[in-house]
Amino acid sequence: MECEPGIRRRLQEAGQEQLLRFWDELGSGERAALLAELKLLDGRELREHCGRAREAYVRESRSPQRLDERMRPVPPEFVGSVRKSRPEELEAWEEEGYRQISQNRVAVLLLAGGQGTRLGVTYPKGMYNVELPSRKTLYQVQAERILRLQQLVGEKYSTRCTVPCLAPPRYIMTSEFTLNPTQEFFEKHNFFGIDRADVVMFEQRMLPAVGFDGKAILERKDKVAMAPDGNGGLYRALADHRVLEDMEARGISSVHVYCVDNILVKMADPVFVGFCVSKGADCGAKVVAKSYPLEPVGVVCQVDGIYQVVEYSEISPETAEKRNPDGSLTYNAGNICNHFFTLDFLKDMAGTLEQRLGYHVAIKKVPYVDEEGNLVKPTRPNGIKMEKFVFDVFQFARNFVAFEVEREEEFSPLKNADTADKDTPTTARRSLLWQHYRWALKAGAKFTDANGRAIAEKSSDPEAEDPPAVCEISPLISYFGEGLDARLNNQDISSPFILDVPRV
């Protein structure tokens, strides 16, 4: 099989003919696979992509641009808070959120395109088991929360809602790496009790990884090294797969977007949804207070009057330490990739606005074949992956709001293997178990050890150790701590304890 002249010419014009350097050594099946991949690469886009990656790499090699003088915090009138807002405000927002959900106007969208590389696994993060007593995976925990929320809304309004979503329950954005495993996992587990018609999976685009010399990398002799285009690839994927049309047909007007790796996420959180809707927001972000001034997290703020997430490397230590008259940090709104968008806003983004989003550089170790055709697994970063971030769209919001939640209740990401210091399976598991321990104590439970002796209560320290009593409460029983008094008040509970619905 000869290489099609059009493809060879396209690669020559893009300056990427090296992708065919092993053509003569390939078998017919390998040639067919490579051709199929190359046909998907537009010559002009490939040339621009590789040039952009090279330029961005050179730019990133310089000292980061400081944004200190151009930054301002989110104005307080556009910020809500679980801790600081008045109880009657929180109650009103929650009521509005429940009303929106009961009318099937709220969707949940799960970002699940990344692999578990940093976790040391080859399968999607949502399939990861952090060794909870129940052995439930992230996908199952999140799906069961949706089912419980549906039940709560049904009880409240005596109606059946479905909470459509791009998430375990509804819409899930996957990638080439995660689509098939995720589909098979959901099918194997009967979609965790969710109507399969309400689960819509779709793929984000893939982009070639680029070497520091501006050349696309061959992963194998017959395969270009590809990587997902970041969680900001959501907006093109929504257009590519006509997902917004599906949402519109379902009557959706608001979408809650989150990342799969947060074990504490409150999907379609009625308080957050109600806050955003009540404020007339087209774009909103949940945030958490920084643990300490120099914590390496992005901060939601304004730059030259435009909302964005400023990375910690773009802020001087002096700015990070800056405080308000009441002693609180001025730039304290830590980004947790947990967002609200109206459907109309997503339509605008999936149209012309997406093209205005810039790319971010990720320097990675990319396996490749050397000039002799030998597979090399580099020990140091050797390639550039270009990504867009989901929060890059804040700049286009007409009415942006932020909502602060408590980190120990709503944010514990799973990113690294247990050899790391933070965001590991151990810290994720501890965060959930500490949360359930607090819920049980608040409901009046009394914990005992194997010998029947009372276990002393203890303050939460999820990063350092397990709670004094192990208690896991199924999301099918409680969405966020509600309804436990009747089950646990004045009950002597032996640790470890699992409160779940009976299996049929």
Side-chain angles (χ1 to χ4, degrees):
M1 179 191 299
E2 292 298 323
C3 180
E4 297 178 17
I7 290 181
R8 188 175 292 277
R9 184 170 57 253
R10 188 191 309 167
L11 293 177
Q12 288 173 337
E13 292 172 352
Q16 301 295 325
E17 194 178 7
Q18 83 283 350
L19 296 177
L20 292 173
R21 68 180 183 270
F22 296 109
W23 181 263
D24 293 338
E25 302 176 24
L26 301 179
S28 59
E30 294 170 320
R31 288 182 175 183
L34 181 58
L35 276 180
E37 195 169 66
L38 295 176
K39 285 180 180 179
L40 299 176
L41 300 177
D42 177 82
R44 180 182 59 81
E45 290 183 359
L46 179 61
R47 181 179 67 253
E48 292 177 355
H49 169 71
C50 292
R52 189 164 47 233
R54 169 65 182 165
E55 292 170 6
Y57 169 68
V58 172
R59 190 167 56 248
E60 287 282 319
S61 301
R62 307 184 188 123
S63 298
Q65 180 186 12
R66 298 292 189 187
L67 300 176
D68 303 65
E69 299 302 318
R70 301 161 56 193
M71 291 172 55
R72 297 292 183 273
V74 179
E77 62 267 29
F78 299 121
V79 180
S81 172
V82 168
R83 294 185 300 117
K84 300 176 183 177
S85 296
R86 300 191 308 274
E88 57 268 27
E89 288 181 311
L90 294 172
E91 185 177 339
W93 294 333
E94 183 177 52
E95 185 67 28
E96 176 61 26
Y98 273 125
R99 189 178 71 83
Q100 293 286 326
I101 295 168
S102 73
Q103 296 175 357
N104 290 321
R105 301 178 67 182
V106 181
V108 177
L109 195 159
L110 170 64
L111 303 173
Q115 296 172 283
T117 307
R118 286 161 59 184
L119 271 172
V121 298
T122 58
Y123 50 82
K125 283 186 186 179
M127 294 165 53
Y128 197 89
N129 167 18
V130 300
E131 298 187 4
L132 293 170
S134 68
R135 315 298 293 176
K136 292 179 181 178
T137 62
L138 294 181
Y139 277 149
Q140 182 171 355
V141 168
Q142 293 169 14
E144 290 183 353
R145 282 199 191 116
I146 286 289
L147 290 173
R148 173 59 182 163
L149 180 60
Q150 292 173 350
Q151 184 181 26
L152 286 174
V153 176
E155 292 171 356
K156 188 176 182 67
Y157 290 92
S158 300
T159 183
R160 179 183 180 275
C161 76
T162 55
V163 191
C165 24
L166 293 169
R170 300 335 172 249
Y171 307 90
I172 307 175
M173 186 178 79
T174 64
S175 68
E176 176 184 292
F177 301 128
T178 63
L179 177 60
N180 289 337
T182 297
Q183 285 180 327
E184 292 170 1
F185 194 71
F186 271 76
E187 289 168 359
K188 176 181 177 182
H189 294 280
N190 197 28
F191 289 74
F192 302 103
I194 297 165
D195 188 338
R196 66 178 57 206
D198 289 331
V199 180
V200 178
M201 299 185 193
F202 61 100
E203 276 188 81
Q204 65 187 110
R205 293 191 176 193
M206 305 288 286
L207 295 173
V210 182
F212 298 153
D213 58 358
K215 300 293 185 180
I217 296 173
L218 274 177
E219 179 181 315
R220 299 193 309 261
K221 292 181 180 182
D222 63 338
K223 182 170 177 54
V224 182
M226 304 288 285
D229 57 355
N231 54 30
L234 167 67
Y235 308 106
R236 286 193 74 169
L238 290 173
D240 289 346
H241 300 282
R242 303 182 65 83
V243 175
L244 297 177
E245 287 87 339
D246 183 84
M247 289 183 178
E248 191 164 34
R250 294 172 186 258
I252 299 303
S253 60
S254 303
V255 184
H256 178 212
V257 177
Y258 73 96
C259 281
V260 68
D261 59 14
N262 181 11
I263 198 170
L264 299 182
V265 66
K266 288 179 69 178
M267 291 82 62
D269 174 15
V271 180
F272 181 45
V273 170
F275 168 72
C276 293
V277 170
S278 298
K279 294 294 184 180
D282 56 356
C283 179
K286 270 192 179 183
V287 298
V288 296
K290 291 198 292 186
S291 296
Y292 53 94
L294 298 179
E295 182 182 10
V297 296
V299 174
V300 178
C301 62
Q302 291 181 323
V303 176
D304 299 332
I306 304 299
Y307 288 103
Q308 70 175 71
V309 175
V310 172
E311 298 299 335
Y312 63 93
S313 59
E314 299 174 310
I315 308 174
S316 68
E318 292 76 20
T319 296
E321 296 273 5
K322 189 175 180 181
R323 294 184 180 272
N324 300 316
D326 64 0
S328 62
L329 289 175
T330 301
Y331 297 103
N332 200 32
N335 179 52
I336 61 173
C337 197
N338 191 315
H339 309 306
F340 169 95
F341 301 115
T342 63
L343 183 62
D344 287 340
F345 181 80
L346 290 176
K347 286 180 179 178
D348 290 341
M349 285 310 311
T352 58
L353 293 180
E354 189 278 336
Q355 300 170 24
R356 295 167 56 184
L357 297 179
Y359 282 91
H360 303 268
V361 175
I363 307 301
K364 302 285 188 178
K365 290 181 280 190
V366 182
Y368 66 98
V369 287
D370 62 19
E371 292 302 319
E372 287 71 43
N374 301 311
L375 176 62
V376 179
K377 293 187 176 180
T379 57
R380 293 184 296 179
N382 66 309
I384 308 160
K385 294 183 179 180
M386 300 291 281
E387 304 173 323
K388 292 182 178 182
F389 295 157
V390 66
F391 51 74
D392 290 337
V393 301
F394 291 176
Q395 60 184 299
F396 300 114
R398 298 181 185 89
N399 188 7
F400 178 86
V401 295
F403 190 75
E404 182 190 5
V405 297
E406 296 183 62
R407 184 189 296 247
E408 68 176 9
E409 292 294 337
E410 294 200 39
F411 184 59
S412 183
L414 175 64
K415 296 184 180 297
N416 307 309
D418 267 328
T419 51
D421 295 329
K422 59 182 293 188
D423 302 339
T424 67
T426 294
T427 59
R429 179 180 65 255
R430 285 174 173 167
S431 293
L432 189 72
L433 293 179
W434 270 107
Q435 180 187 63
H436 292 187
Y437 172 73
R438 293 191 299 270
W439 289 354
L441 290 180
K442 185 177 180 181
K446 300 175 182 178
F447 287 101
T448 60
D449 61 20
N451 297 315
R453 293 182 297 234
I455 297 176
E457 297 181 14
K458 192 173 183 180
S459 300
S460 173
D461 191 7
E463 292 283 321
E465 59 184 355
D466 290 332
V470 175
C471 169
E472 183 183 354
I473 299 169
S474 169
L476 295 172
I477 298 290
S478 185
Y479 171 70
F480 204 67
E482 81 292 332
L484 297 176
D485 291 20
R487 295 173 180 268
L488 300 179
N489 189 35
N490 287 321
Q491 297 293 314
D492 289 331
I493 297 173
S494 178
S495 173
F497 173 72
I498 302 176
L499 180 60
D500 208 340
V501 298
R503 294 184 180 274
V504 178

